[in-house]
Amino acid sequence: MKILYFAWLRERVGRGEEDVTLPSDISTVGQLVTWLRGRSAGHEAAFAQGRLVRCAVNQDFATPDATVTDRDEVAFFPPVTGG
Amino acid sequence: MARIVVQTEDFDTGAELARLTAGRLDVGGIGSFIGIVRDTAHGNPITAMTLEHYPGMTERAMTRIAEAAEARFGLLGCTLIHRVGPLSPGENIVLVLAAAPHRQAALDGTAFLIDWLKTRAPFWKKERFADGAQGWVDAREADDAAAARWGAL
């Protein structure tokens, strides 16, 4: 699975992209976040403010209950501030 | 047909206006919004701004917003150009144009486009202040409220 991070999530994780092999017991965005938080102190810092983390699965906005598979592109980022 | 562009360079507003009406006589009005980098944030002087985005999802989200606006307001065309990368105060950030047979659709279409662009397109602004400090811009609840008045996207 391809994971992307943007803005301050990217800075806290320390990279903008990583490839991970999804454990078989993870099937939702919420479960993925819980698992990612354990990967490093940077990941933990990035996801600590859960209220401010948004997610997209295959480039569409997704909620914590959205389904994910090993073939998906999943991105995490703060609320958008363009325009 | 919407024109969607993400680019580092500036845009030419006059050329973009001309492009919307080229070869057609059914356009009765064009609404426009141009976003510009301010020199202060909450009273603190800003020396630079950097815009980051999510390539791929950005164009996808902008296209979806444009198609919704064209359908809802009967637009004859619209243009969304958003700059990314480093910008200085006074520089253009975003151009929104909406062409329609009459003014109300053009003006409402323009407001719809910029309201959803600010809340649904994956761009993030980072500001650099005069004292050297940097910080990511926080999303504003007022922006969500502005978009929500149009209902669902």
Side-chain angles (χ1 to χ4, degrees):
Chain A
M1 169 183 279
K2 185 175 174 184
I3 312 272
L4 300 173
Y5 304 99
F6 293 96
W8 52 257
L9 272 100
R10 170 178 53 73
E11 293 177 341
R12 291 181 192 178
V13 170
R15 61 173 78 175
E17 183 175 339
E18 60 185 338
D19 281 304
V20 302
T21 302
L22 201 61
S24 58
D25 58 340
I26 289 178
S27 60
T28 68
V29 168
Q31 291 168 346
L32 174 63
V33 168
T34 302
W35 180 68
L36 287 171
R37 286 181 74 149
R39 282 174 67 82
S40 76
H43 287 79
E44 170 61 24
F47 287 105
Q49 291 172 278
R51 198 177 60 84
L52 293 179
V53 176
R54 301 290 180 267
C55 177
V57 175
N58 299 325
Q59 305 189 352
D60 281 323
F61 282 98
T63 51
D65 60 349
T67 302
V68 290
T69 74
D70 217 27
R71 294 179 301 280
D72 291 330
E73 174 180 300
V74 180
F76 295 99
F77 44 79
V80 303
T81 56
Chain B
M1 190 60 200
R3 173 165 155 77
I4 308 291
V5 183
V6 178
Q7 63 185 29
T8 54
E9 61 268 31
D10 196 10
F11 45 80
D12 181 337
T13 303
E16 295 299 335
L17 284 166
R19 180 190 280 257
L20 262 182
T21 52
R24 63 191 308 168
L25 298 172
D26 53 350
V27 173
I30 299 175
S32 70
F33 176 84
I34 298 166
I36 300 166
V37 182
R38 279 187 308 273
D39 66 353
T40 59
H42 311 295
N44 298 316
I46 288 172
T47 56
M49 174 177 279
T50 303
L51 270 139
E52 180 172 328
H53 77 121
Y54 179 176
M57 181 176 173
T58 310
E59 292 80 358
R60 188 177 164 88
M62 290 169 76
T63 299
R64 186 167 297 171
I65 293 164
E67 286 174 351
E70 288 182 332
R72 176 164 175 167
F73 301 100
L75 300 182
L76 299 172
C78 66
T79 300
L80 295 177
I81 303 180
H82 207 299
R83 294 181 69 191
V84 293
L87 296 172
S88 300
E91 285 197 83
N92 292 327
I93 304 176
V94 62
L95 174 68
V96 174
L97 301 175
H102 300 284
R103 75 180 183 285
Q104 202 61 53
L107 293 170
D108 288 349
T110 301
F112 178 99
L113 286 164
I114 187 61
D115 284 349
W116 282 117
L117 192 62
K118 286 185 85 81
T119 51
R120 298 297 279 185
F123 293 96
W124 301 275
K125 291 180 182 134
K126 189 176 198 178
E127 296 165 328
R128 180 187 290 274
F129 296 95
D131 64 2
Q134 293 190 66
W136 293 96
V137 174
D138 289 328
R140 298 168 67 237
E141 286 181 9
D143 289 337
D144 286 332
R149 75 192 158 112
W150 300 107
L153 181 61

